[in-house]
Amino acid sequence: MSLSVRHLLSVKDLTKKDVDLILKTAENLQEISKRPVKKVPALRGKTIPLCFFEPSTRTRASFEIAAKRLSADPIQISSFGNSLSKGESLLDTVKNLEAMDPDVLVIRHPHSGMPHLMAKEVSCPVINAGDGINEHPTQALLDLMTILQVKKKIQGLHVAIIGDILNSRVARSNIILLTKMGAKVHVAGPASMIPAGVEQYGVQVVNDIREVIPKADVIMMLRIQRERESASLFPSLREYARFFGLNKNNMKEAKKDVVIMHPGPVNRGVEIAPEVADGPHSIILDQVTNGVAVRMALLYLMCGEGERKIKY
Amino acid sequence: MKLVIINGRVIDPSQNLDGNCTVFVENGVIRDVAKAKRSTNGYEIIDAKGAIVSPGFIDVHTHLREPGFEYREDIASGSKAAVAGGFTTIFCMANTNPVNDNASVTQMIVKKAEEVGLLNIFPVGAVSKGLKGVELAEIGEMVKSGCVAISDDGKPVMSGRLMRHALEYAKTFKIPVVVHEEDLSLAEGGCMNEGRISTELGLKGSPAAAEETMIQRDILLSKLVGHHVHFQHVTTATGIDMIRQAKKQGIPVTCEVTPHHLVLNDEACRGYNTNAKVNPPLRTTKDCQALIKALNDGTVDCLATDHAPHAHDEKNVGMDEANAGLLGMETALPVLLKLVHNKQVSLKRLIYLLTVGPAKIFKLKTGSLKKGWPADMTIFDPNLSNTIDAEKFYSKSRNTPFHGWKLKGKVLHTICGGKVVYA
């Protein structure tokens, strides 16, 4: 079995079979992380540049750990010694990287579509680790894995995604992937945070989060990016927390077996109250754990190892 | 010098003329357009069999990039591109470096254009010094040096007060104020039309309302001051309807639309195609249809290309970072003829919008084959198959979304002031 796509640029490109393969591989590889010696030689000798042209801690660490557990050599690249500020174009940077014969390029970029453009320029597979406000496919896959572990199915589940849909690549990837896998997705938040034409994905849009909380099997809270894009989309954090935050109060209306997710980092007391983030319904840390497994699976499958049986 | 064009179908909307005629040119001016056979002895002959002979095309909206950005285009290369596209008169916008906001820059452009000598080039001066939108540029001086209008094109005049004063001041010098309409705060960060496709591509969009609110403001200011506002590259159904209503009320406004906003919509941005990044952005099919309707009902006064050359490196980046703009002059005719072949507009109306339409707005003595007028002419075959090949452009740049398009229509001869400037 191997993936039908060469690059992972968008969850749109993945077939259901691809998704199943990735998640199955992730499950198989997850056990490695539980061992005392967390390392197998599966990708020994493979070079994996992690090109993070935008600050990131958890995604970058997750990819690095994933690569290392498979014995690949991840190379951290932030902005290539600031060559961008020296006037080198980004495509030049990528061409230079390619000249070093990488096996997979992992790219995060503040501008939407950049991994797509780079994939056209390089000969190795490219993994989109988050591009602008566009997509974050690995996050959607790890979210899917986390939901499946608890709920055992996706088909027919009601998933509420709440908050800044407009600026969230996590939301966009999750909407597309969850819908594709048969979930019923609801998005909720102030109208200033709902993108134009989001209905095209077959989601239900409401502005009052109290309408979706009782229906939801899964509630996915999004981070308020208070430092940037969201600045003028709502009046104050206090007001946001009051009307759009998940707290003990509105959780009373939720289903007994609801699970709460968040892509992190959490603004405690803003989009989610601490007692909910740390409460019994929260599976936020499981998401982080599964992130490593999903990224291991992708690196493994995309390094051309899909045909070979896993040996360790 | 004597020149005669025989066997062509002459279409000159300024005289309501459409028929097989012979066009006689002497000393750079039209001597006669005759239906009956007459001797052509002593004339240099151009045989236009199977082709259309029309007044020379006028493009009131181009960027020639000189001074300052000659690596993208200069007056010489832009001139060649223009005549290859059938244009005999073009306007060049002020966003050069230095900005054309004073007489010395205007004079330099006029002088260079004369040296190249292929066609009529009229500079459009800036509204504000440095295009900063704060103080008025030296409008009177620029008009005396050859500017035919003022515009901060590329940038809107965000201050309503400055726009009002620009209109009042321009009224003194009898030139229109030409405007790029975009509310910058609404458009901020947008690199394509806001809508279904921008959401799908995960790109920030600029809403139609960013353009429309400014159109409405300037209609009101035009009414207040009683002076002519010309709207550049109108793109939205609502915007064009506002202009239609304003005209009905007798407010002195005119407008242009571009070929690309007529035939392309925001779907063209798929694949993060930076050659489809243009400002104002490509809108929706519904908007294209509304613009085509407005071509026919007289709301649109002229066509203009907004020819905006950019170097490869300025486009071979992500959508957010790419410069906005596309090449227009060399593709305009075949792209527009698509509308004629699809029966969305008549050939005569199309020629009107490329000739007498723009000439009327800016009171130019061209755009007509009347006796005694300058012999500016375009001869083209509307049916000749033609694959757009950017590599063959005369422009220095290659940024076109039309590369590889199979279209019908090609310019055969361009004649300016009685001289064959392209063949």
Side-chain angles (χ1 to χ4, degrees):
Chain A
M1 282 279 286
S2 60
L3 294 175
S4 71
V5 287
R6 181 167 154 69
H7 307 287
L8 178 59
L9 300 174
S10 162
V11 290
K12 285 175 215 154
D13 305 333
L14 296 174
T15 62
K16 279 189 181 181
K17 264 189 175 169
D18 290 329
V19 176
D20 287 340
L21 175 63
I22 294 165
L23 296 192
K24 216 162 268 161
T25 311
E27 252 168 54
N28 286 337
L29 293 172
Q30 193 151 43
E31 175 266 335
I32 296 166
S33 300
K34 310 280 180 237
R35 298 179 189 181
V37 178
K38 306 175 177 65
K39 212 173 180 78
V40 294
L43 297 185
R44 194 165 56 194
K46 302 286 183 189
T47 308
I48 302 176
L50 308 177
C51 312
F52 279 69
F53 300 116
E54 184 188 70
S56 159
T57 307
R58 71 197 58 216
T59 304
R60 195 164 73 162
S62 184
F63 267 108
E64 181 169 354
I65 290 167
K68 285 186 167 167
R69 290 198 176 153
L70 297 172
S71 300
D73 299 315
I75 315 293
Q76 297 282 0
I77 289 160
S78 47
S79 53
F80 226 47
N82 264 332
S83 55
L84 295 179
S85 59
K86 290 181 197 158
E88 183 179 48
S89 82
L90 194 57
L91 288 175
D92 284 339
T93 304
V94 173
K95 293 239 164 189
N96 275 284
L97 283 170
E98 199 203 8
M100 298 172 198
D101 294 318
D103 293 283
V104 182
L105 276 182
V106 177
I107 296 171
R108 162 164 297 187
H109 199 279
H111 294 157
S112 303
M114 285 310 282
H116 304 66
L117 294 180
M118 291 179 191
K120 288 181 195 158
E121 302 285 330
V122 297
S123 56
C124 67
V126 169
I127 296 178
N128 178 359
D131 63 324
I133 58 166
N134 185 36
E135 279 211 48
H136 195 347
T138 60
Q139 177 76 38
L141 286 162
L142 73 88
D143 287 342
L144 191 73
M145 182 175 175
T146 312
I147 296 171
L148 266 174
Q149 280 174 349
V150 189
K151 297 286 182 187
K152 312 293 177 206
K153 62 163 191 176
I154 297 294
Q155 186 69 41
L157 279 186
H158 287 263
V159 181
I161 304 180
I162 299 175
D164 185 0
I165 316 290
L166 181 68
N167 288 306
S168 172
R169 52 192 171 210
V170 174
R172 190 174 277 97
S173 282
N174 263 305
I175 289 170
I176 298 166
L177 187 63
L178 287 166
T179 312
K180 183 188 301 223
M181 302 308 282
K184 180 79 207 147
V185 178
H186 308 259
V187 300
S192 53
M193 290 178 162
I194 307 290
V198 72
E199 301 80 11
Q200 68 186 305
Y201 299 111
V203 298
Q204 277 195 332
V205 183
V206 293
N207 296 124
D208 187 344
I209 72 167
R210 290 173 303 183
E211 285 179 38
V212 289
I213 290 173
K215 291 184 204 160
D217 299 299
V218 177
I219 298 176
M220 202 179 274
M221 299 306 291
L222 297 175
R223 195 170 93 82
I224 289 301
Q225 301 176 41
R226 44 181 162 181
E227 69 284 5
R228 32 176 210 164
E229 289 88 352
S230 324
S232 69
L233 300 179
F234 61 94
S236 70
L237 291 176
R238 207 178 91 98
E239 179 161 319
Y240 186 88
R242 181 168 167 203
F243 291 101
F244 304 101
L246 197 60
N247 52 44
K248 235 167 47 186
N249 238 342
N250 50 29
M251 272 296 284
K252 284 181 197 149
E253 306 299 319
K255 287 187 182 174
K256 293 284 161 268
D257 60 347
V258 69
V259 291
I260 309 299
M261 303 174 81
H262 191 296
V266 175
N267 293 309
R268 285 171 172 262
V270 183
E271 65 265 4
I272 189 163
E275 60 271 27
V276 178
D278 303 330
H281 299 284
S282 168
I283 52 172
I284 295 172
L285 291 174
D286 299 304
Q287 291 173 268
V288 180
T289 305
N290 290 335
V292 174
V294 160
R295 288 168 184 129
M296 283 169 79
L298 283 166
L299 293 176
Y300 181 80
L301 291 166
M302 294 182 76
C303 272
E305 301 297 308
E307 298 293 333
R308 220 169 67 184
K309 207 161 164 40
I310 306 171
K311 284 183 201 143
Y312 38 84
Chain B
M1 216 191 96
K2 292 161 109 183
L3 182 69
V4 67
I5 295 104
I6 58 166
N7 294 329
R9 176 181 163 197
V10 178
I11 302 180
D12 177 6
S14 77
Q15 316 179 63
N16 206 15
L17 184 66
D18 181 354
N20 287 316
C21 295
T22 309
V23 184
F24 293 88
V25 175
E26 280 182 30
N27 301 322
V29 298
I30 305 285
R31 182 157 166 256
D32 198 10
V33 180
K35 283 208 169 165
K37 284 219 167 188
R38 265 179 43 184
S39 165
T40 54
N41 280 348
Y43 285 86
E44 190 188 320
I45 296 174
I46 292 177
D47 188 347
K49 195 170 165 49
I52 309 282
V53 181
S54 90
F57 299 158
I58 301 166
D59 188 348
V60 298
H61 192 169
T62 79
H63 299 266
L64 297 182
R65 306 298 191 204
E66 186 175 356
F69 305 101
E70 289 85 350
Y71 64 96
R72 297 177 188 163
E73 194 82 287
D74 57 31
I75 291 169
S77 67
S79 295
K80 284 180 199 155
V83 296
F87 294 96
T88 54
T89 297
I90 60 174
F91 291 9
C92 57
M93 292 297 147
N95 57 351
T96 47
N97 184 21
V99 169
N100 183 13
D101 60 1
N102 63 77
S104 63
V105 179
T106 308
Q107 284 159 10
M108 173 261 161
I109 295 169
V110 170
K111 187 167 164 283
K112 283 247 177 171
E114 275 170 9
E115 279 169 18
V116 174
L118 285 177
L119 76 164
N120 312 307
I121 296 178
F122 295 115
V124 173
V127 170
S128 65
K129 283 182 189 143
L131 306 173
K132 291 199 169 83
V134 182
E135 298 170 88
L136 288 181
E138 290 166 342
I139 295 164
E141 293 253 333
M142 290 192 293
V143 172
K144 288 283 166 278
S145 301
C147 282
V148 289
I150 49 167
S151 178
D152 273 359
D153 176 51
K155 291 181 177 176
V157 180
M158 280 303 290
S159 157
R161 185 179 59 83
L162 187 77
M163 182 61 191
R164 175 193 179 161
H165 294 326
L167 273 166
E168 289 165 341
Y169 199 76
K171 197 175 178 181
T172 319
F173 294 94
K174 300 186 174 57
I175 51 154
V177 181
V178 176
V179 286
H180 166 113
E181 299 296 43
E182 181 184 16
D183 181 315
L184 293 177
S185 62
L186 281 171
E188 194 187 336
C191 57
M192 64 175 294
N193 180 50
E194 179 181 300
R196 215 181 127 252
I197 310 290
S198 67
T199 294
E200 216 179 307
L201 293 175
L203 290 169
K204 285 253 168 89
S206 172
E211 183 176 336
E212 292 154 357
T213 53
M214 291 289 278
I215 290 176
Q216 193 60 64
R217 182 200 75 176
D218 288 341
I219 286 172
L220 296 171
L221 289 177
S222 172
K223 185 178 171 191
L224 173 70
V225 178
H227 188 56
H228 182 180
V229 172
H230 175 74
F231 296 101
Q232 300 177 305
H233 44 47
V234 178
T235 68
T236 80
T238 306
I240 203 77
D241 196 46
M242 287 171 179
I243 294 167
R244 183 180 287 124
Q245 300 312 324
K247 285 182 159 188
K248 277 185 192 157
Q249 292 173 45
I251 300 168
V253 293
T254 54
C255 71
E256 71 193 34
V257 297
T258 73
H260 50 273
H261 287 117
L262 289 164
V263 303
L264 293 173
N265 59 41
D266 51 1
E267 298 267 355
C269 297
R270 283 190 193 280
Y272 303 95
N273 178 10
T274 54
N275 281 330
K277 179 175 174 181
V278 60
N279 194 11
L282 300 171
R283 305 288 184 188
T284 65
T285 317
K286 200 177 131 255
D287 294 302
C288 294
Q289 284 163 353
L291 295 181
I292 291 168
K293 181 169 170 262
L295 285 187
N296 288 309
D297 72 8
T299 306
V300 173
D301 298 273
C302 71
L303 291 155
T305 70
D306 192 8
H307 178 80
H310 289 293
H312 179 70
D313 286 355
E314 293 165 333
K315 281 289 191 182
N316 195 22
V317 291
M319 282 289 269
D320 296 77
E321 291 174 302
N323 286 356
L326 53 81
L327 297 178
M329 296 194 290
E330 292 179 74
T331 53
L333 180 71
V335 167
L336 290 167
L337 281 170
K338 196 172 146 64
L339 301 173
V340 175
H341 294 303
N342 291 345
K343 304 208 179 331
Q344 289 165 296
V345 65
S346 72
L347 185 57
K348 190 175 161 197
R349 179 68 189 158
L350 181 69
I351 292 173
Y352 175 94
L353 293 164
L354 285 166
T355 60
V356 60
K360 266 189 183 169
I361 301 169
F362 295 95
K363 302 182 180 70
L364 308 172
K365 195 179 176 183
T366 181
S368 168
L369 300 178
K370 278 181 209 143
K371 220 177 267 186
W373 277 47
D376 296 348
M377 264 177 279
T378 306
I379 304 172
F380 64 96
D381 183 338
N383 296 310
L384 198 64
S385 291
N386 179 17
T387 301
I388 305 286
D389 183 356
E391 292 311 314
K392 291 189 179 150
F393 283 172
Y394 288 90
S395 171
K396 282 189 184 178
S397 291
R398 298 285 171 263
N399 51 307
T400 175
F402 298 115
H403 178 71
W405 278 38
K406 286 191 178 62
L407 295 166
K408 281 200 283 186
K410 199 170 182 347
V411 175
L412 305 175
H413 292 85
T414 307
I415 298 164
C416 185
K419 197 172 80 178
V420 178
V421 289
Y422 173 79

